[in-house]
Every structure is written in C-alpha cells, then in structure tokens.
Amino acid sequence: MPTITVRGTSIACDRGENLRRVLLKHDISLYNGGSALINCRGIGSCGTCAVEITGEVSEINWKEKARLSLPPHSPAKNRRLACQVKVFGDIEVKKYDGFWGQGDRLANLRENE
C-alpha cells in the first residue's frame, strides 16, 4: 500500500489511486486562492492542481503534457497535474504558490490552516 507524504502528513492509499481524489478526501487542498472555486474538477484542462512529485507515479499523459507546456506553467519546473496522476508507490508531494501552483515558494495545503 503506497504512502503519500505531504508537508509532514502521511496518507496510505491503494496502488493506482488518483492523487487528486486521495488528497481531497483527506482535506488536503490542491488549490491556491480562487482556484479552489475555479478549476476543471479533475479533467486536466485548467492546470491549477499542479504539484511537484517525487516517487513512483504514472507516466505523464498527452493531456497533462499539453497543459503543463502552456504559460504560466513551464516544462522546466517538473510539475504534474494531480488530477491525472495515479499513485504506484511511496511519493512526496509539494504544492507551490501562485494561482496555478506555478510559483517557487511552498504553499499551504491544509484546508483549515
């Protein structure tokens, strides 16, 4: 059973589970500011759930690659769209600032903080 580590919190999930769904189920928001209200709800078109991931996850798909190649994102930042990622092993997730998660400073991921 893979473990997702986010800002010191560890969450167990089933292999192959969708990262966005797991994090939201555990009250860990993937959205900064207004993007919590204005996002594509997991279809991979908006880019607001962009995170940095270390560990074993699914390969990047065409939809994710296309969205992350458009501004304000940059392929050089090594971000992934949580809504398109399946968890295959233990991972660490980092969310950055900016409406789209495109910034360089770590963002707060807890809903109630």
Side-chain angles (χ1 to χ4, degrees):
M1 186 169 263
T3 299
I4 301 167
T5 303
V6 181
R7 305 273 314 250
T9 299
S10 294
I11 301 165
C13 71
D14 291 329
R15 182 174 166 79
E17 274 197 86
N18 176 275
L19 179 59
R20 176 184 179 271
R21 288 187 201 125
V22 172
L23 294 179
L24 292 177
K25 183 171 110 179
H26 288 88
D27 296 324
I28 297 177
S29 176
L30 292 164
Y31 305 106
N32 297 335
S35 69
L37 299 173
I38 304 170
N39 66 74
C40 68
R41 306 293 187 242
I43 63 172
S45 62
C46 74
T48 58
C49 67
V51 293
E52 183 179 276
I53 301 169
T54 305
E56 188 183 357
V57 294
S58 56
E59 293 292 322
I60 192 166
N61 64 31
W62 67 269
K63 191 184 301 188
E64 188 178 7
K65 187 178 277 189
R67 182 60 196 97
L68 291 172
S69 69
L70 299 171
H73 290 294
S74 165
K77 290 219 174 172
N78 196 30
R79 304 281 158 84
R80 298 287 307 269
L81 298 182
C83 68
Q84 300 299 301
V85 170
K86 292 181 181 177
V87 180
F88 291 141
D90 294 347
I91 65 170
E92 181 178 359
V93 176
K94 294 179 182 176
K95 177 71 177 183
Y96 290 89
D97 63 338
F99 185 86
W100 308 94
Q102 80 281 7
D104 295 317
R105 292 181 311 162
L106 287 174
N108 188 356
L109 292 177
R110 279 280 174 203
E111 292 273 0
N112 56 3
E113 292 181 318

